[in-house]
Amino acid sequence: MAIELGKLGIWRHYSGVDAQFAAEAEKLGYGAIWLGASPSGDLAYVDDLLAATDRLVIATGIVNIWQDEPADIARVYERIVAKYPDRFLLGIGAGHPEASKEYKKPYAALVDYLDGLDAAGVPVAGRALAALGPKVLELAGDRTAGAHPYLTTPEHTRGARAVLGEGKLLAPEQKVVLGTDAAEARAIGRKTVKFYLGLSNYVANLRKLGFTDEDVEGEGSDRLVDALALHGDADTIATGVRAHLEAGADHVNIQVLNEDPWPAYRELAAALR
């Protein structure tokens, strides 16, 4: 198996991705689209996205382990890769406790889920794991193609690479807002960032990255929002994206927060080409 993600991808809520979106992303040179927000396990629309493109990889960011049984997901995986080999990456994860009433001992549950995928024949190279802390990063390196961290910084990417070692996929997500009016761009970024400040696993990780209680309280400090949702012109944002690559990322999936994402995706594709 040889899934080629390229250096740049797009992270977007699965409800906002259709065949036309996928075709335009491929035309601009993005290597993958990560379908965010725990898409339903049948992944019926993935076939349509792959059919509309020639090389684009579709990845899930993530299939939630509390939502779908590994045997069921394995059958979906087999359906997709039989038609589109080397173009689908199964990203799985445990989500967060505030969203899953079943959320108990997530590390053990991840191990059990990976065991189930093994038993059902899903190859290690065909799956990735949402990971923030070192224990789950190690699991991602041992049992999957690599890690897909979310809501992080280049500092986290550097540490994640050290844990994973070389040869394992590291594909962080990065939020961006195209706009040179700092107050306006920061307000757009804050609308999204503040949601995650109510989720304990993300807040704990941000504290490990050096953000203070004041940074993560309420709607988040300007310092926090600026780090998690890069803003500025395309060249400024491109510098921030490159910082992940320089810190050890193989692939950065960019989440544009502007209402119309295409100006940003077009300008970033050119700036990062």
Side-chain angles (χ1 to χ4, degrees):
M1 178 174 293
I3 299 175
E4 296 292 340
L5 296 173
K7 294 291 186 184
L8 298 177
I10 289 173
W11 191 103
R12 188 166 175 82
H13 193 288
Y14 67 91
S15 64
V17 180
D18 58 15
Q20 184 177 357
F21 187 100
E24 180 65 16
E26 181 177 74
K27 182 180 176 181
L28 289 173
Y30 290 94
I33 294 178
W34 294 73
L35 302 175
S38 299
S40 59
D42 61 3
L43 301 177
Y45 41 82
V46 169
D47 303 72
D48 295 335
L49 303 179
L50 292 170
T53 54
D54 296 318
R55 302 171 305 281
L56 189 76
V57 173
I58 298 298
T60 52
I62 54 168
V63 166
N64 193 309
I65 66 168
W66 310 107
Q67 183 173 294
D68 299 285
E69 293 296 323
D72 295 333
I73 289 297
R75 283 190 287 271
V76 171
Y77 175 87
E78 290 169 2
R79 183 199 79 219
I80 296 170
V81 300
K83 293 171 63 178
Y84 304 100
D86 302 337
R87 294 185 57 204
F88 176 64
L89 182 62
L90 176 64
I92 66 167
H96 42 83
E98 292 82 359
S100 301
K101 62 182 179 180
E102 302 91 346
Y103 196 96
K104 297 175 183 177
K105 297 183 178 178
Y107 182 85
L110 285 169
V111 171
D112 289 344
Y113 203 90
L114 291 168
D115 289 345
L117 293 179
D118 285 343
V122 176
V124 168
R127 63 202 195 202
L129 186 61
L132 290 175
K135 191 173 181 180
V136 181
L137 284 166
E138 288 179 5
L139 183 65
D142 291 341
R143 301 287 305 275
T144 78
H148 168 48
Y150 185 90
L151 199 75
T152 62
T153 64
E155 288 74 22
H156 182 274
T157 296
R158 187 172 293 106
R161 174 52 71 199
V163 173
L164 284 172
E166 296 302 319
K168 284 291 182 176
L169 173 69
L170 180 54
E173 173 267 355
Q174 177 65 64
K175 296 172 181 58
V176 308
V177 181
L178 183 67
T180 55
D181 183 321
E184 180 180 342
R186 190 175 289 127
I188 293 171
R190 181 168 275 117
K191 286 180 183 178
T192 297
V193 168
K194 68 180 182 181
F195 168 77
Y196 297 99
L197 301 183
L199 304 178
S200 57
N201 56 338
Y202 288 116
V203 171
N205 187 60
L206 292 170
R207 286 196 172 103
K208 290 176 184 176
L209 291 173
F211 293 102
T212 66
D213 289 344
E214 290 75 18
D215 287 320
V216 300
E217 286 175 353
E219 297 186 344
S221 68
D222 288 353
R223 180 172 88 101
L224 179 73
V225 173
D226 289 352
L228 298 179
L230 304 175
H231 68 260
D233 61 18
D235 288 337
T236 299
I237 294 172
T239 298
V241 172
R242 287 193 194 96
H244 282 284
L245 297 170
E246 292 165 359
D250 301 293
H251 171 88
V252 181
N253 41 99
I254 300 169
Q255 181 181 176
V256 172
L257 301 182
N258 300 80
E259 184 174 359
D260 178 2
W262 286 118
Y265 281 130
R266 292 186 184 108
E267 291 189 34
L268 287 171
L272 289 160
R273 184 167 294 128

